[in-house]
Amino acid sequence: MGGDFISYELKEFKLFEPLFRWARKKSIWLVAFCTGCGGIEMPPLVTARYDIERFGMMPNPAPRMADLFLITGYVTPKTLKRIIITYELMPDPKYILAHGSCPINGGVYWDSYNVVKQLDKYIPIDVAIAGCMPRPEAVMDGIREIMRKIENGEADGWRRYRENYEWYRKNQDELFGEGWRERDAKRWLAWL
Amino acid sequence: MFEWKLALEAIGMVIYATFMGFIFMGIERKAMARIQRRVGPPIYQPIIDTLKLLGKKESVSHGFIYDFGPVFALGASIAALLFIPLANFQLFSSNADLIVVAYLLEVPMLGIMLGAMSSGNPYSAVGVQRGLLTMVAMQLPYGLALIAIAQYWGTFKLNSIVALQQLHGWSITVPALLLAFIVFDIVFQAMLGLEPFDIITAPAEISMGPMVEYGGKHAALLFTQHAVQLFAETAFFAVLFLGGASNLLELLIKQIAVLFIAIFIASIYPRFTIDQAAKFFWKWPTILGIIAVILAGW
């Protein structure tokens, strides 16, 4: 499988950067991947009452086209594997909005044996919304915050992940054991 | 000798068509949102989306064919556009425009399929299979509607069809061609990939269908292709059934009318499964199409 996959980084055009930042702010596509209990808070956001499509946001089922990853609620190690793989599928620049107390410090699952307590150790979080569960108003506030950060160029989680990849990789390997990517890939695609 | 006037006209037409196509996509999203009682995105939202996709810092490629697919699709859309008589511009012309345009409007789908298959994603494979089956199913009523048109007006040249319509009244005022209009409108939903037949990119089922692996600049190219395709298809519809147009504004009004019919149908009906769609296409539109052809021959 090694050779048939090319990923290339593109040169940054300083001249058009403000235009692109404005476009990134006005057109955030979400990964439709709801972890934990916060998924149920999403329907009010996309339907008539809070309609996030007026900001150009849209749930997008394909991770290759997406910009924003919403972690909605607690993350178990099993979900975290999928989250990391989906996050690495998304092209730069990409942002993560952690939703609720659980990704920050475990929340009500603070002493659970099977919940990831601090998500920021495994993937970089740009904006975190506290609360259990945050109401749609709080989520809208978080969305405004990430839009502001994107416009100012402060939402640099993707750059942190690229620069500190060894550190994140070390933390992930401590949790799942060495070579977990290959093992999981073999389980899904038996012919590898 | 290089024809500067023709080249400039072609470039201007492509820019106009791309821009208006993006606005059409915006109208589509806005109208859907208003029907669902939402505020909806601004009307120029697809332009922002395309800018954002162009501004992505990373692009993933799976080889030459993967890159070639969207380019091939965009090229076919632009070629189809240049054969259609848009108001008083018709840049290329041949004795059988109708057939050329009808086939060139089908080619972009094949380009996308070509690129999608080379990515090796299972969702792409399912989407491509569905897309090809939908194409096979819709070819029959589509062909029958076009045969009825050609049979009634007695020509394959699009600009003579427009001239004859301006002389004898629009196609839809003729009973036989009204049936052909209904058939073509049903097929049109599948051509635009809208709701009763959006089995190809069924968003909640198979991720994005063939487009699942495209991101960044490739997706921006596909968005541009969709805009040109939308403009060309609505213009083709207006030329065949709504009497063409003598200026771009008149054409625009007719195109938006055609677009709104498609949007309203799409926002009412749920999605067919692939077997239902094939059965449907080979039953009612085909029967109506055969009646239209027989009536047009009389």
Side-chain angles (χ1 to χ4, degrees):
Chain A
M1 273 294 277
D4 58 2
F5 180 82
I6 316 151
S7 172
Y8 44 91
E9 244 185 291
L10 300 153
K11 221 190 298 176
E12 192 168 323
F13 292 102
K14 283 277 180 283
L15 185 61
F16 295 117
E17 199 54 25
L19 178 68
F20 284 146
R21 271 187 193 164
W22 174 77
R24 272 173 213 144
K25 175 191 126 189
K26 295 288 278 184
S27 141
I28 304 175
W29 290 357
L30 313 170
V31 188
F33 179 16
C34 292
T35 67
C37 41
I40 208 70
E41 298 286 330
M42 292 310 292
L45 277 179
V46 295
T47 48
R49 183 141 190 176
Y50 293 100
D51 185 29
I52 51 172
E53 207 184 358
R54 63 204 154 107
F55 305 127
M57 299 179 79
M58 175 163 93
N60 188 309
R64 288 275 189 220
M65 287 186 201
D67 307 293
L68 181 64
F69 202 153
L70 268 174
I71 311 285
T72 54
Y74 67 90
V75 177
T76 59
K78 194 173 176 182
T79 325
L80 185 59
K81 280 183 193 171
R82 276 76 173 163
I83 288 176
I84 290 167
I85 290 167
T86 313
Y87 182 69
E88 288 178 358
L89 279 175
M90 289 158 65
D92 293 346
K94 51 197 171 185
Y95 316 103
I96 290 190
L97 181 64
H99 186 132
S101 312
C102 306
I104 304 174
N105 60 5
V108 291
Y109 304 101
W110 60 277
D111 61 348
S112 166
Y113 63 95
N114 200 25
V115 169
V116 174
K117 300 298 182 313
Q118 194 188 348
L119 189 63
D120 210 8
K121 277 167 70 182
Y122 306 100
I123 44 171
I125 289 175
D126 287 300
V127 173
I129 314 164
C132 180
M133 287 303 300
R135 286 189 49 79
E137 290 92 336
V139 182
M140 296 288 279
D141 190 50
I143 286 168
R144 283 184 70 86
E145 178 70 12
I146 204 158
M147 282 162 82
R148 188 187 65 75
K149 278 194 164 184
I150 291 171
E151 190 159 36
N152 299 343
E154 293 165 24
D156 56 350
W158 56 275
R159 195 175 281 141
R160 273 186 281 141
Y161 192 69
R162 202 172 265 279
E163 282 165 5
N164 307 321
Y165 186 66
E166 281 79 32
W167 187 75
Y168 285 113
R169 188 68 193 261
K170 183 174 68 67
N171 287 340
Q172 292 163 8
D173 283 351
E174 268 172 24
L175 187 63
F176 303 128
E178 291 278 334
W180 61 276
R181 283 157 207 265
E182 290 73 17
R183 274 205 309 278
D184 266 43
K186 275 213 187 72
R187 212 162 71 205
W188 297 331
L189 308 167
W191 59 88
L192 281 184
Chain B
M1 191 195 135
F2 188 70
E3 293 187 50
W4 287 103
K5 193 168 164 290
L6 184 72
L8 283 179
E9 268 181 1
I11 292 169
M13 194 39 94
V14 169
I15 291 171
Y16 173 75
T18 315
F19 180 73
M20 286 322 294
F22 278 132
I23 296 295
F24 284 176
M25 283 159 74
I27 290 174
E28 196 183 306
R29 278 177 70 180
K30 184 85 182 173
M32 291 266 195
R34 293 307 297 156
I35 289 169
Q36 296 162 0
R37 295 203 177 178
R38 290 186 286 121
V39 178
I43 222 150
Y44 50 89
Q45 183 64 41
I47 299 179
I48 307 178
D49 289 346
T50 312
L51 263 179
K52 176 207 72 180
L53 288 170
L54 281 175
K56 282 272 182 195
K57 289 197 170 61
E58 198 184 30
S59 221
V60 170
S61 173
H62 293 269
F64 175 70
I65 295 292
Y66 182 83
D67 297 338
F68 175 68
V71 178
F72 179 62
L74 182 63
S77 294
I78 290 175
L81 178 78
L82 297 182
F83 271 100
I84 298 173
L86 301 160
N88 32 16
F89 303 99
Q90 187 185 14
L91 303 174
F92 300 148
S93 174
S94 69
N95 282 332
D97 291 341
L98 185 64
I99 299 172
V100 173
V101 175
Y103 273 93
L104 280 179
L105 285 180
E106 295 290 310
V107 170
M109 183 76 90
L110 296 176
I112 296 171
M113 310 264 151
L114 195 68
M117 278 310 270
S118 71
S119 76
N121 191 309
Y123 287 121
S124 301
V126 175
V128 166
Q129 179 222 352
R130 290 180 176 201
L132 291 178
L133 206 58
T134 316
M135 264 178 73
V136 170
M138 78 187 212
Q139 289 297 331
L140 186 59
Y142 182 46
L144 285 170
L146 294 184
I147 289 170
I149 284 271
Q151 173 87 2
Y152 187 84
W153 296 118
T155 173
F156 278 120
K157 276 175 86 78
L158 282 176
N159 52 6
S160 10
I161 289 178
V162 172
L164 282 167
Q165 284 186 68
Q166 270 158 11
L167 218 59
H168 303 286
W170 294 1
S171 292
I172 50 171
T173 56
V174 180
L177 296 188
L178 186 63
L179 287 179
F181 166 79
I182 295 168
V183 173
F184 197 87
D185 198 54
I186 295 168
V187 173
F188 196 62
Q189 293 288 336
M191 280 164 76
L192 296 184
L194 280 177
E195 225 73 42
F197 307 109
D198 69 336
I199 15 187
I200 304 169
T201 59
E205 284 171 41
I206 49 167
S207 200
M208 288 282 274
M211 271 72 91
V212 65
E213 200 68 11
Y214 282 105
K217 301 221 171 1
H218 297 83
L221 209 58
L222 282 180
F223 253 63
T224 317
Q225 184 271 330
H226 187 70
V228 178
Q229 175 87 356
L230 195 56
F231 186 89
E233 276 170 357
T234 46
F236 188 50
F237 196 116
V239 162
L240 283 185
F241 291 97
L242 301 183
S246 54
N247 56 41
L248 284 177
L249 185 67
E250 197 188 336
L251 184 73
L252 190 66
I253 292 167
K254 284 176 181 172
Q255 279 176 307
I256 288 179
V258 166
L259 191 69
F260 267 102
I261 299 176
I263 293 170
F264 290 151
I265 295 177
S267 52
I268 292 170
Y269 288 99
R271 187 186 302 143
F272 274 134
T273 61
I274 181 67
D275 54 325
Q276 285 168 339
K279 257 182 213 159
F280 176 80
F281 270 127
W282 284 334
K283 204 185 266 173
W284 303 112
T286 307
I287 293 171
L288 281 180
I290 290 170
I291 296 172
V293 170
I294 293 169
L295 283 181
W298 265 343

